[in-house]
């Protein structure tokens, strides 16, 4: 029963014997970090929690304000933009080679690998400005939803 639970469990326990026997490499990925143990269930949970937010709360109101023609058109346009930018970001996960390149774990790592220099600081500034804007948007949307 324990073996069956270990195969389906999201959390994989590492035994201390692995480190003592010198089998530490089997618990590490190709870049020296611990192996990722995510499944399609955990990935789906992360996607759902990222998508269902303040944007979904105000989506019906925004579409109603735009009308039946412009509303769905804008919705499709932004869904294409989201798809395109997420595809670009996924292509930048490893640099410079997509199979054996160094992994970029953050967006700043991607900018540093591909652009470098002053653009890394500009990207950081843009990320902080985006965080401030998102915080203001969440506050306004939450207050409108509570009313």
């Amino acid at each position: 029963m324990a073996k069956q639970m270990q195969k389906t469990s999201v959390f994989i326990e590492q035994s201390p014997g692995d480190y003592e026997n010198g089998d530490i490499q089997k618990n590490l990925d190709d870049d020296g970090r611990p192996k990722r143990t995510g499944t399609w269930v955990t990935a789906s949970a992360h996607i759902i929690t990222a998508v269902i937010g303040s944007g979904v709360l105000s989506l019906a109101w925004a579409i109603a304000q735009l009308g039946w023609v412009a509303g769905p058109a804008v919705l499709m346009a932004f869904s294409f933009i989201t798809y395109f930018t997420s595809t670009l970001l996924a292509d930048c996960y490893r640099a410079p080679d997509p199979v054996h390149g160094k992994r970029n774990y953050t967006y700043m790592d991607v900018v540093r690998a591909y652009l470098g220099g002053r653009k890394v600081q500009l990207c950081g500034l843009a990320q902080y400005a985006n965080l401030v804007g998102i915080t203001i948007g969440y506050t306004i949307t939450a207050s409108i939803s509570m009313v």
Side-chain angles (χ1 to χ4, degrees):
M1 182 71 176
K3 284 284 191 186
Q4 187 179 10
M5 276 300 284
Q6 189 176 8
K7 287 182 183 176
T8 60
S9 175
V10 176
F11 178 74
I12 297 176
E13 188 174 317
Q14 297 176 352
S15 65
D18 292 341
Y19 296 104
E20 293 168 2
N21 296 335
D23 290 337
I24 193 168
Q25 290 298 324
K26 78 174 191 176
N27 291 327
L28 298 178
D29 216 346
D30 59 351
D31 59 348
R33 291 191 179 200
K35 283 191 177 180
R36 293 175 295 278
T37 58
T39 62
W40 68 271
V41 175
T42 57
S44 300
H46 284 289
I47 291 170
I48 289 169
T49 56
V51 169
I52 298 176
S54 67
V56 174
L57 295 174
S58 62
L59 186 61
W61 177 82
I63 297 297
Q65 295 300 313
L66 291 172
W68 283 101
V69 176
V74 168
L75 188 66
M76 291 302 293
F78 280 110
S79 66
F80 174 74
I81 291 169
T82 302
Y83 171 74
F84 181 71
T85 54
S86 61
T87 304
L88 285 176
L89 193 58
D91 287 343
C92 295
Y93 180 61
R94 286 186 180 259
D97 182 45
V99 177
H100 301 291
K102 178 190 168 296
R103 283 195 175 101
N104 296 310
Y105 290 98
T106 64
Y107 188 73
M108 292 293 283
D109 289 342
V110 171
V111 173
R112 189 174 291 112
Y114 283 98
L115 301 176
R118 181 105 172 116
K119 294 180 180 136
V120 175
Q121 288 144 358
L122 292 173
C123 175
L125 183 66
Q127 280 185 315
Y128 281 120
N130 190 22
L131 284 174
V132 169
I134 287 172
T135 304
I136 292 169
Y138 267 98
T139 305
I140 292 171
T141 304
S143 62
I144 290 172
S145 296
M146 284 191 287
V147 170

